[in-house]
Amino acid sequence: MPPTDGFVLVLPDEPLTVRLMNTVWSERGRVHDALSDVRRLRRWVEVVSAGTTAGDGDLAAFRELRDALRDVVHHRTATSPLPPERVARAVEVINGAVTATTVWTELVLTEEGPSRRPCCSGTPAERLLSGIAAEAVDLLADGRLSACRAPGCVHHYVRTGRRQWCSRQCGNRVRVARHYRRQSPASWS
């Protein structure tokens, strides 16, 4: 993944939910966190939602939502499910983020006459987080949010068709490993 000012965007064509989940990634067996501090959160928010800013108090909320989403997907797709209380806490965090902001329509009188204006409570970062959580609920309910099945990969993606990996690179690594296992000397006997 190419770094941008020491910042990594993993699978930039995926929905924001997946992009938030993929702020944790593994490289050469070492796990990295793109949201390790407020400066990096601000950079991530700036990249994924131009014009939106994050404050000092937003880091914990973004990391908590990310970890909750990863827990729910892990629980659904892994061979070893998480403890029920951890999954219940993750669902509580996701639902809390969805309902953290309120959206309503306001009547505005202009020279042309009455019109509607959408309004939303919360800071720009809170509205972004709430939108990501709402998108996640839809993806989770549809069963399309999935963890990559490539060994050592910690990425997530939106499953379409028969897709099993987050990227071509992961799919190629799995296929090459499978090919070498079939070609090993042990299989020649």
Side-chain angles (χ1 to χ4, degrees):
M1 295 358 114
T4 306
D5 301 332
F7 178 80
V8 175
L9 265 185
V10 178
L11 304 174
D13 296 329
E14 291 285 350
L16 284 178
T17 298
V18 174
R19 292 168 72 180
L20 176 62
M21 293 171 71
N22 288 340
T23 57
V24 171
W25 76 96
S26 177
E27 185 176 33
R28 294 188 176 111
R30 190 166 159 238
V31 176
H32 301 273
D33 185 354
L35 303 182
S36 58
D37 57 44
V38 174
R39 180 188 58 79
R40 297 186 92 197
L41 170 66
R42 286 184 178 132
R43 178 72 177 123
W44 185 82
V45 167
E46 174 187 311
V47 169
V48 301
S49 181
T52 302
T53 57
D56 292 344
D58 295 321
L59 179 61
F62 274 85
R63 291 181 76 173
E64 184 179 44
L65 178 61
R66 176 198 60 198
D67 296 343
L69 291 168
R70 292 177 65 85
D71 280 353
V72 169
V73 172
H74 173 84
H75 180 73
R76 220 186 77 245
T77 60
T79 54
S80 57
L82 296 174
E85 59 277 358
R86 185 167 167 184
V87 177
R89 173 69 184 134
V91 169
E92 183 180 306
V93 166
I94 295 166
N95 287 335
V98 169
T99 60
T101 60
T102 306
V103 178
W104 69 92
T105 304
E106 188 173 79
L107 177 65
V108 180
L109 294 175
T110 64
E111 290 180 12
E112 293 83 33
S115 67
R116 294 183 199 126
R117 175 177 63 189
C119 298
C120 188
S121 66
T123 66
E126 289 169 338
R127 291 192 300 263
L128 174 63
L129 194 64
S130 186
I132 291 171
E135 176 185 69
V137 168
D138 290 339
L139 291 170
L140 287 164
D142 291 346
R144 296 183 304 143
L145 206 49
S146 189
C148 183
R149 293 184 181 180
C153 185
V154 296
H155 294 152
H156 294 82
Y157 64 96
V158 173
R159 188 176 46 246
T160 54
R162 294 175 35 201
R163 184 176 174 189
Q164 297 178 4
W165 304 290
C166 66
S167 65
R168 285 185 190 169
Q169 292 88 345
C170 279
N172 287 340
R173 277 198 325 272
V174 169
R175 286 187 286 277
V176 166
R178 191 181 311 142
H179 170 77
Y180 279 109
R181 276 195 309 274
R182 283 193 303 252
Q183 301 300 319
S184 70
S187 65
W188 292 347
S189 47

